[in-house]
Amino acid sequence: VIQTELEILDRKIKDIESKESIKNTLSEIDNLTRLTNSLLTIVKLEASGSKLILSNIRMDELLADCAQTMNKAALNKGIQINLSFDDAVEVEADKEKLRSVFLNLIDNAIKYSFSNSLVTINLEKLNNNKVKIGVENAGQGISDSEIPYIFNRFYRSDEIRAEINGSGLGLAIAKEIVELHRGKISVESKIDGKTIFIVILSEKVV
């Protein structure tokens, strides 16, 4: 209701200063909406009846779709998204939940990348009936002291990273979804260098 009223008001007024104030308020409403949705997602994941809706999905197609969805945000920073895939890889998984994981990882990779750089999404089939997905970027990186906490709820990084909008819930949700699939998620990073988030999934959820 608040958002709708402000949008109507924005269309009616002409004063530049007032319009800027409305724009800032709408931005904060958007942040609160995302935070609320993230909290609801966590509650649903933790619910005793939370279940995966499993189907056989092509990971190469899912990742390509996620890359396409995030391409506009990447282009706005002059970033190119590069896909590096093995042959077609199929896994048993909850498509929508996994999609949210990789949209989050790609979104973070773009946000924390240097402008005019490259984000690379790797997909590799391992020998032990597992699949490895990596989302790599070149940016300011994550310090060794921060890495143990990066998947904690509400954790926000140092002052430079804190300048970028976020709730500190995206990676926590990604971790819960990956672990719900009996998988693992980890990160490797160097300050002012490459950062890669790695997800390991089984071809079949046991």
Side-chain angles (χ1 to χ4, degrees):
V1 172
I2 296 171
Q3 181 174 0
T4 301
E5 291 292 334
L6 284 171
E7 287 171 347
I8 293 172
L9 183 61
D10 184 49
R11 290 195 292 269
K12 290 182 177 180
I13 65 172
K14 303 297 182 183
D15 178 64
I16 295 176
E17 185 175 340
S18 296
K19 290 181 77 68
E20 184 65 24
S21 179
I22 291 173
K23 178 183 176 182
N24 292 336
T25 305
L26 285 169
S27 177
E28 289 304 314
I29 290 173
D30 188 50
N31 290 336
L32 286 170
T33 300
R34 288 199 300 270
L35 175 59
T36 302
N37 289 336
S38 294
L39 289 169
L40 287 172
T41 298
I42 285 180
V43 170
K44 290 176 182 178
L45 288 172
E46 290 185 338
S48 58
S50 179
K51 294 181 180 179
L52 296 174
I53 302 174
L54 298 174
S55 62
N56 291 324
I57 63 172
R58 285 270 301 274
M59 278 305 303
D60 52 319
E61 293 179 352
L62 177 66
L63 293 170
D65 175 66
C66 290
Q68 180 62 36
T69 299
M70 299 305 302
N71 193 51
K72 183 178 180 180
L75 291 176
N76 287 339
K77 286 188 68 174
I79 293 169
Q80 179 181 345
I81 300 177
N82 180 51
L83 304 178
S84 177
F85 295 167
D86 279 351
D87 293 335
V89 176
E90 191 173 88
V91 299
E92 182 185 57
D94 187 313
K95 184 176 182 179
E96 290 308 310
K97 285 186 173 66
L98 272 194
R99 187 174 187 274
S100 71
V101 168
F102 293 108
L103 283 175
N104 178 265
L105 293 181
I106 299 168
D107 182 44
N108 282 349
I110 294 168
K111 284 180 180 177
Y112 295 110
S113 284
F114 295 131
S115 297
N116 304 310
S117 61
L118 185 69
V119 168
T120 301
I121 304 170
N122 298 294
L123 174 62
E124 179 184 358
K125 188 172 182 178
L126 305 179
N127 293 328
N128 53 355
N129 295 321
K130 293 187 183 296
V131 174
K132 178 180 178 181
I133 305 102
V135 179
E136 181 180 307
N137 75 303
Q140 59 196 47
I142 306 167
S143 68
D144 290 342
S145 62
E146 292 176 323
I147 284 178
Y149 309 103
I150 203 72
F151 294 103
N152 290 357
R153 294 178 189 179
F154 300 108
Y155 180 76
R156 297 292 289 153
S157 190
D158 59 32
E159 292 181 2
I160 296 176
R161 296 173 67 83
E163 292 176 0
I164 298 175
N165 286 335
S167 64
L169 285 172
L171 289 177
I173 292 172
K175 183 174 184 287
E176 295 213 23
I177 291 174
V178 170
E179 291 180 349
L180 199 58
H181 282 82
R182 304 291 189 267
K184 294 182 180 180
I185 184 170
S186 60
V187 61
E188 299 172 2
S189 184
K190 292 183 179 180
I191 294 297
D192 293 327
K194 290 184 178 180
T195 296
I196 180 168
F197 281 86
I198 300 168
V199 175
I200 304 292
L201 298 170
S202 297
E203 291 180 330
K204 293 287 184 181
V205 177
V206 180

